[in-house]
Amino acid sequence: MDEKYYRLEIVTKTFLVSIKFKFPDDFMKYVPEHRTYINMLINTNVIESYAVSMETKRSWIIINAETKDEVEKILFKSTLYQFWTYEIDELFVYDSQNFRLPKLELN
């Protein structure tokens, strides 16, 4: 008898979120809760990397998710969402030094 085994696999994709944000007077009061949320997403491997430039009022987030809609839902939960305009792009390749094996150093 030929038995077939099927494995349900959730396909996770990687997305780049490019954010432009406004910086009104009350912006900073929302930052602590936002940072708590971002830290939780980093600790659970939803966010790969997070960068902010105050010079240009832009930020970039690498997010692992199944769909762009899921990325939207993740972004919407941030307390800073109200200040953002953003674009979401699915990445074909995402590589960095962090994905490499450590360099060997001989004693």
Side-chain angles (χ1 to χ4, degrees):
M1 175 188 270
D2 185 48
E3 293 185 37
K4 294 182 180 180
Y5 294 93
Y6 295 95
R7 192 172 102 193
L8 180 60
E9 187 173 310
I10 298 173
V11 177
T12 301
K13 300 174 183 175
T14 304
F15 297 88
L16 171 64
V17 181
S18 302
I19 299 170
K20 291 182 181 180
F21 59 89
K22 297 178 228 150
F23 193 73
D25 291 338
D26 63 342
F27 183 90
M28 292 306 290
K29 78 178 187 181
Y30 298 100
V31 170
E33 189 174 340
H34 169 76
R35 284 301 307 158
T36 298
Y37 181 58
I38 293 298
N39 287 336
M40 182 272 298
L41 294 172
I42 291 170
N43 291 336
T44 57
N45 297 316
V46 173
I47 288 182
E48 292 282 339
S49 65
Y50 176 79
V52 178
S53 168
M54 291 306 289
E55 177 185 6
T56 61
K57 307 293 187 285
R58 295 175 61 192
S59 61
W60 303 268
I61 308 172
I62 302 290
I63 295 182
N64 296 313
E66 293 178 43
T67 64
K68 281 187 180 183
D69 287 340
E70 184 180 347
V71 174
E72 293 259 5
K73 290 175 186 175
I74 292 167
L75 297 174
F76 184 75
K77 292 178 184 176
S78 168
T79 55
L80 297 182
Y81 182 84
Q82 62 190 311
F83 305 111
W84 293 346
T85 57
Y86 57 86
E87 294 180 2
I88 302 170
D89 298 302
E90 183 179 341
L91 299 178
F92 177 67
V93 175
Y94 174 57
D95 196 3
S96 77
Q97 191 67 30
N98 294 335
F99 298 124
R100 307 300 167 118
L101 293 173
K103 293 180 183 178
L104 282 176
E105 293 187 23
L106 300 175
N107 291 338

